Amino acid sequence: MIRPISVRGGSTVRCPRAFTLIELLVVIAIIAVLIALLLPAVQAAREAARRMQCVNNLKQINLALHNYNDTVGSYPYCGGFGTGGKGWGWMPMILNQLELGALYNTINFSDSCDCQSMSTARRIVINAFYCPSDPNTGRLNNDRTTPGVACLGGPNTKDNPSTNLQNGMVSNYSGSYGDGYNNSGSSPYDTTGSSLRYGCGGCNGSGSAAETPTADCVAPTGAYGSGINHRGLFDYRSVSPAVTIASITDGLSNTFALGEVASVVRSQSAVWYTSTGATNGTCLPMNWTLQRCLREPTYATANSWSGRGFSSFHSSGANFGMADGSVRFIKQTVDQRTYNALGSRRGGEVISADAY
């Protein structure tokens, strides 16, 4: 409001009235309310952008897997602990297909990943291997445990001799070893050993199949999905042959190739270039280990094999790369039998498209 005032000579001028304290507080309160209303939308937009980048990373890796398959005739064979295994995982084997040929050429796959000569590869941080929604990734760690395979071409002195540990980056993307059993004891959530069998849509705790056993639904014969009955796409122990497209009899669009793993649930053995660090399975419910680790920070380092399930910091689920090259967001509430069936490439399960 502007009020007139009289001045000498009979003329008048109008002086603007200043805001009162109450008016100023009302304006500030309105601005605060608007910010409070807009902030969640801004945060949601940022997370949507991060999630899209995560999806793009998975698509890039999945495409590299298919290009590798076209060239070699199979999915990468983890060079882990089988006959002549050197501890390398499947991720280093697709570096050429990810346009990282210079890094690929520094790796001698016929020798151990623990060789001192491989220290350059161990120090690499690869942006395409971490999800921007994860607050703890994208950096080099100096506390990694690796398979410990003897080096033939030179010394295998650790990157950090005082701790006997190696350098390495934790990847947020892990290949699927399928629905094979995970841990031991009376609960699938124990952190030691590997004797329980959860496969074929839901094998029970005693190791027998919950479904009617068939030729394709039999108890796995090795830890973490390895062995002759391996049903995932990656066998970290390199016991079974490399997986071919033809061996995915459950359907490419119904089979996980890889999925997300939150960095907080990964143990010291989690490192992108090793066979032990780049494989996970579906017998643990999605995000179970993430929720436990957020409650109990020491759980992640309780055992080298703790947290071998898929998880992510995305709200209510995680992204998965399917064997057909597509990427899907699977909700955390997915039925466990369906989730196990998605982990198996040859379990013989029938999955409805609306089941997940």
Side-chain angles (χ1 to χ4, degrees), residues 29-284:
I30 292 173
I31 293 174
V33 170
L34 290 175
I35 292 174
L37 292 174
L38 290 173
L39 188 59
V42 172
Q43 291 175 333
R46 288 179 175 175
E47 170 55 23
R50 291 191 290 263
R51 181 168 155 182
M52 182 60 67
Q53 180 60 52
C54 181
V55 169
N56 289 338
N57 289 345
L58 277 167
K59 285 182 177 179
Q60 184 179 358
I61 298 171
N62 224 352
L63 178 60
L65 283 171
H66 275 259
N67 289 339
Y68 182 97
N69 209 315
D70 290 341
T71 301
V72 178
S74 69
Y75 280 88
Y77 183 73
C78 289
F81 303 105
T83 302
K86 303 302 179 183
W88 296 103
W90 61 272
M91 281 186 156
M93 299 181 185
I94 63 169
L95 291 175
N96 263 336
Q97 286 72 28
L98 290 169
E99 299 184 355
L100 294 170
L103 176 58
Y104 178 86
N105 291 333
T106 68
I107 297 175
N108 179 8
F109 288 101
S110 64
D111 214 341
S112 171
C113 68
D114 276 313
C115 284
Q116 192 174 37
S117 59
M118 296 295 99
S119 62
T120 298
R122 291 195 293 267
R123 295 175 188 273
I124 293 296
V125 173
I126 303 173
N127 290 340
F129 288 170
Y130 70 88
C131 173
S133 293
D134 192 314
N136 305 305
T137 55
R139 62 172 182 262
L140 186 67
N141 299 278
N142 62 0
D143 61 350
R144 302 292 91 186
T145 59
T146 47
V149 181
C151 182
L152 303 178
N156 60 346
T157 305
K158 303 296 185 182
D159 294 324
N160 303 286
S162 62
T163 59
N164 202 37
L165 296 172
Q166 301 282 37
N167 292 326
M169 181 194 74
V170 175
S171 172
N172 282 123
Y173 308 113
S174 176
S176 171
Y177 63 65
D179 58 351
Y181 58 90
N182 195 70
N183 296 315
S184 73
S186 59
S187 165
Y189 312 129
D190 288 346
T191 60
T192 57
S194 53
S195 64
L196 283 187
R197 297 160 172 79
Y198 282 76
C200 304
C203 292
N204 62 33
S206 65
S208 58
E211 304 292 343
T212 302
T214 66
D216 284 330
C217 186
V218 292
T221 54
Y224 305 100
S226 64
I228 58 174
N229 297 325
H230 175 243
R231 287 187 299 273
L233 265 64
F234 302 97
D235 175 4
Y236 90 95
R237 298 186 72 233
S238 307
V239 176
S240 55
V243 172
T244 63
I245 292 291
S247 69
I248 306 175
T249 57
D250 285 349
L252 301 182
S253 62
N254 286 331
T255 304
F256 289 151
L258 66 158
E260 289 190 79
V261 182
S263 61
V264 70
V265 308
R266 304 299 296 274
S267 66
Q268 287 182 322
S269 65
V271 59
W272 73 275
Y273 56 81
T274 70
S275 58
T276 55
T279 52
N280 273 265
T282 57
C283 82
L284 283 178

